[in-house]
Amino acid sequence: MLNGKTILITGGTGSFGKCFTKYVLTHYEPKKIIIYSRDEFKQWMMANEFQEYAEKLRFFIGDVRDVERLRRACEGVDFIIHAAALKQVPACEYNPNEAIKTNIHGAMNVIDAALDTGVRKVVALSTDKAVNPVNLYGGTKLVSDKLFVAANAYVGTKDINFSIVRYGNVAGSRGSVIPLFHRLIQEGAKELPITDLRMTRFWISLTQGVELVIKALTEAKGGETFISKIPSFKITDLAEAMLPGCQIKETGIRPGEKLHEIMVTTEDSATTYEYDKHFIVYQQMTWNDKQQPDLSGKKVAEGFAYSSDNNTEWLSVEDIRALLKDVELEK
């Protein structure tokens, strides 16, 4: 699927971009991977990290807010992975115009550049926060998701489709709870803070996120939202796994924070199909004959929802402790 192809990753110097690049270079033979981002220092660091693959990598300084620069970068590109976004919830709340420019206008620019330059497939990364959003970041990502789904209406005779993958916080990602607990434990803490003792989350690794994107690249026909079936865990169990016997201090839920991660809402159930290892939420409106559900799956029941508190698969304290051994904390 990816052999001989040219792939562009927006926000490519981030944790996902680096993991995706390493995965593709070790499992496939792409023609070229273009890292599109606006931070030249991070590009320099990534180039040093991937020196052995230098002939396959290109580093393109640019911003998704700049549609002309995107068009230049997309010349000769087969696939786009759109990972660029402003993601920090407090920063987006304080700088709403900037979040809109990157997360919404940037999405529009990626779509326009792809349609104008002969790109074959576009996969956009989404987030659980786009589902029933309670903060601006989630609101901008909801709009972004809608834009990528609707982009399939503008394809015409072009051989291109747009799809989405959705997952929550990656284990060990910056700003998430695992690095926080790790830092406190390193500092000698005997008590760990949890905003609400009822809180649950899904567990997904970066590699699992990359594999979901590759599944979307392989299978998407246009307008689908791909969601992995992954286990849930209680934050209290995570605390016990990381610091056995620790005391827990409940600090109160933060603005914009949810008790549970939601991936499929009851409203989505009308167009959601379940497969062996994932769900697909199909678009409610179709614009061509290709955009039909894969009937190898089973349509979920009316009113079905998929969230971290109603999951059928749960991690125990021992399960979490074993998984933590493979977690790489983002720096």
Side-chain angles (χ1 to χ4, degrees), residues 203-222:
W203 185 286
I204 189 169
S205 68
L206 264 178
T207 299
Q208 287 174 303
V210 167
E211 290 171 345
L212 184 62
V213 168
I214 292 174
K215 174 176 281 293
L217 282 173
T218 305
E219 300 180 6
K221 299 175 184 176

Side-chain angles (χ1 to χ4, degrees), residues 263-295:
M263 298 294 178
V264 180
T265 67
T266 55
E267 290 79 12
D268 286 330
S269 64
T271 56
T272 299
Y273 281 69
E274 180 178 3
Y275 302 89
D276 184 34
K277 295 183 179 180
H278 65 287
F279 297 97
I280 297 180
V281 180
Y282 290 94
Q283 68 286 347
Q284 295 180 358
M285 299 176 64
T286 59
W287 298 282
N288 59 58
D289 293 337
K290 294 180 181 179
Q291 293 175 274
Q292 301 299 324
D294 175 359
L295 297 180

Side-chain angles (χ1 to χ4, degrees), residues 18 41 50-51 57 69 74 97 110 112 128 136 140 157 172 213 223 230-231 237 241 244 248 254 258-259 268 309 325:
K18 289 191 286 188
F41 179 65
F50 286 83
Q51 280 184 352
L57 292 180
R69 187 66 171 162
C74 288
N97 291 351
V110 169
D112 286 340
D128 67 289
L136 184 76
T140 59
T157 59
V213 168
I230 46 180
D237 286 345
I248 293 174
R254 297 172 297 178
K258 291 182 178 181
L259 276 178
D268 286 330
D309 64 322
K325 296 176 182 178

Side-chain angles (χ1 to χ4, degrees), residues 6-8 10 32 34-36 58-64 66-78 80 109-110 112-119:
T6 296
I7 306 160
L8 182 143
T10 69
K32 181 168 54 178
I34 301 171
I35 306 300
Y36 185 93
R58 300 292 183 272
F59 291 90
F60 208 110
I61 294 174
D63 196 316
V64 292
D66 185 344
V67 68
E68 293 304 323
R69 187 66 171 162
L70 268 172
R71 285 195 181 97
R72 180 68 67 192
C74 288
E75 291 293 342
V77 167
D78 297 293
I80 296 176
N109 290 339
V110 169
D112 286 340
L115 287 170
D116 292 344
T117 54
V119 171

Side-chain angles (χ1 to χ4, degrees), residues 37-48:
S37 70
R38 60 186 183 179
D39 190 324
E40 74 277 15
F41 179 65
K42 288 182 181 178
Q43 289 194 2
W44 176 79
M45 291 177 65
M46 187 172 175
N48 286 334

Side-chain angles (χ1 to χ4, degrees), residues 154-283:
Y154 299 93
V155 167
T157 59
K158 298 181 176 72
D159 184 15
I160 180 175
N161 66 59
F162 299 82
S163 61
I164 299 162
V165 300
R166 178 185 295 158
Y167 51 83
N169 283 338
V170 172
S173 60
R174 279 191 303 270
S176 63
V177 68
I178 293 176
L180 170 63
F181 284 177
H182 178 77
R183 177 177 60 81
L184 292 173
I185 293 168
Q186 292 295 105
E187 293 172 354
K190 303 300 180 184
E191 179 182 78
L192 296 178
I194 295 178
T195 56
D196 192 296
L197 300 183
R198 299 167 293 171
M199 191 166 287
T200 64
R201 290 293 182 262
F202 286 108
W203 185 286
I204 189 169
S205 68
L206 264 178
T207 299
Q208 287 174 303
V210 167
E211 290 171 345
L212 184 62
V213 168
I214 292 174
K215 174 176 281 293
L217 282 173
T218 305
E219 300 180 6
K221 299 175 184 176
E224 305 96 328
T225 299
F226 290 77
I227 299 158
S228 287
K229 289 183 179 179
I230 46 180
S232 294
F233 66 96
K234 298 177 181 178
I235 301 297
T236 51
D237 286 345
L238 173 67
E240 177 64 24
M242 295 186 70
L243 186 60
C246 68
Q247 298 296 311
I248 293 174
K249 179 182 180 181
E250 191 171 25
T251 58
I253 199 162
R254 297 172 297 178
E257 187 176 35
K258 291 182 178 181
L259 276 178
H260 312 292
E261 289 183 332
I262 306 170
M263 298 294 178
V264 180
T265 67
T266 55
E267 290 79 12
D268 286 330
S269 64
T271 56
T272 299
Y273 281 69
E274 180 178 3
Y275 302 89
D276 184 34
K277 295 183 179 180
H278 65 287
F279 297 97
I280 297 180
V281 180
Y282 290 94
Q283 68 286 347

